[in-house]
Amino acid sequence: MTDPNAASRPVQAVVLAGGQGSRLRPYTDDRPKPMVEIPGTGTPIIGHQLAWLAEEGVTDVVVSCGHLAEVLQQWLDSADLPVSVTTVVETEPLGRGGGLKFAAKHLPHPDRPWYATNGDIWTRFSLREMADFHTERDAVATLALARPRIPWGAVETDDFGHITDFIESPPTAYGINAGVYVFSPEFAALLPDLGDHERSTFPRLARERRLAGYPIPQGAYWRAIDTAKDLTEAAKELAALGR
């Protein structure tokens, strides 16, 4: 039976892989952040992302490089990749929004929707379901929303002030931008040539009710790899999950 939603789902994506990764040193002294490997996984972060994108129906990926771009390009050239990859390198820093716009110009289907992901995210959930959510809400852009656990214990109290419970590392009360997106074709034209789209394009779309937030399903794994501690924690969590 033909899936009626298949035609509206992206088959192309951008991976933003140009960050300095200064908080991940010394791991990023000789490689860009997306090339860092979580111990026990056997693959760099970007390798995991490309496999995930391929599983979700993506055939073409533009990788936006920056810091130590040649290291990432060499790995992409030598690896057995499940998708067709084009790399682009910013000759000067364009900011997150400008970098996204620059990369989007190299997508093979400018008239079709596209995914984007930050190059330091390790996650697994259904991008197809996220794309359907995006279409159903007639959004121009949809952000995946995560609720990571905070690193401290929390307490619950009753109205009188008595403590009723202790909760170890509870999830945050608010969803945060998970660094995974679905964009309609017209989104690229709304991006700044230079600067941060999260301070310009996203607030504008939110005011116009054209920005959607897709909660990552409960039980799906998500972590941003920003520090050496994140690497250690991710290795423990993924080992416990058997991944």
Side-chain angles (χ1 to χ4, degrees), residues 210-229:
R210 296 194 294 165
L211 185 68
Y214 174 76
I216 293 176
Q218 186 174 3
Y221 186 76
W222 178 90
R223 180 178 278 275
I225 308 300
D226 291 320
T227 66
K229 183 178 180 182

Side-chain angles (χ1 to χ4, degrees), residues 60-136:
D60 294 270
V61 177
V62 177
V63 178
S64 179
C65 308
H67 174 64
L68 295 174
E70 66 282 359
V71 177
L72 180 52
Q73 288 174 316
Q74 288 171 8
W75 183 84
L76 291 168
D77 288 342
S78 63
D80 182 16
L81 301 176
V83 292
S84 175
V85 172
T86 300
T87 59
V88 297
V89 182
E90 297 175 27
T91 55
E92 59 183 32
L94 299 175
R96 290 190 294 178
L100 196 58
K101 187 171 189 175
F102 176 66
K105 292 177 181 177
H106 296 80
L107 288 168
H109 309 290
D111 59 339
R112 298 191 63 177
W114 46 294
Y115 297 117
T117 181
N118 295 344
D120 59 357
I121 302 298
W122 191 286
T123 188
R124 266 292 200 283
F125 62 90
S126 174
L127 288 174
R128 290 182 175 91
E129 291 182 6
M130 183 178 173
D132 294 346
F133 179 97
H134 171 84
T135 301
E136 288 163 3

Side-chain angles (χ1 to χ4, degrees), residues 31-208:
R31 68 196 64 194
K33 189 195 284 191
M35 282 295 300
V36 172
E37 180 181 324
I38 295 174
T41 61
T43 184
I45 296 169
I46 193 166
H48 168 80
Q49 289 190 336
L50 294 176
W52 174 45
L53 290 167
E55 290 169 8
E56 294 295 327
V58 172
T59 57
D60 294 270
V61 177
V62 177
V63 178
S64 179
C65 308
H67 174 64
L68 295 174
E70 66 282 359
V71 177
L72 180 52
Q73 288 174 316
Q74 288 171 8
W75 183 84
L76 291 168
D77 288 342
S78 63
D80 182 16
L81 301 176
V83 292
S84 175
V85 172
T86 300
T87 59
V88 297
V89 182
E90 297 175 27
T91 55
E92 59 183 32
L94 299 175
R96 290 190 294 178
L100 196 58
K101 187 171 189 175
F102 176 66
K105 292 177 181 177
H106 296 80
L107 288 168
H109 309 290
D111 59 339
R112 298 191 63 177
W114 46 294
Y115 297 117
T117 181
N118 295 344
D120 59 357
I121 302 298
W122 191 286
T123 188
R124 266 292 200 283
F125 62 90
S126 174
L127 288 174
R128 290 182 175 91
E129 291 182 6
M130 183 178 173
D132 294 346
F133 179 97
H134 171 84
T135 301
E136 288 163 3
R137 281 145 188 83
D138 196 25
V140 173
T142 296
L143 289 61
L145 303 178
R147 290 184 62 198
R149 293 187 175 277
I150 62 175
W152 309 283
V155 295
E156 286 188 348
T157 62
D158 62 20
D159 293 339
F160 194 65
H162 290 127
I163 292 176
T164 59
D165 200 5
F166 293 88
I167 306 169
E168 188 64 32
S169 298
T172 58
Y174 297 97
I176 68 162
N177 182 347
V180 180
Y181 312 91
V182 182
F183 296 134
S184 294
E186 63 266 35
F187 178 75
L190 304 177
L191 286 164
D193 293 322
L194 185 69
D196 189 351
H197 61 293
E198 294 193 12
R199 297 185 179 182
S200 56
T201 311
F202 279 174
R204 171 185 165 187
L205 290 174
R207 289 192 297 270
E208 297 170 354

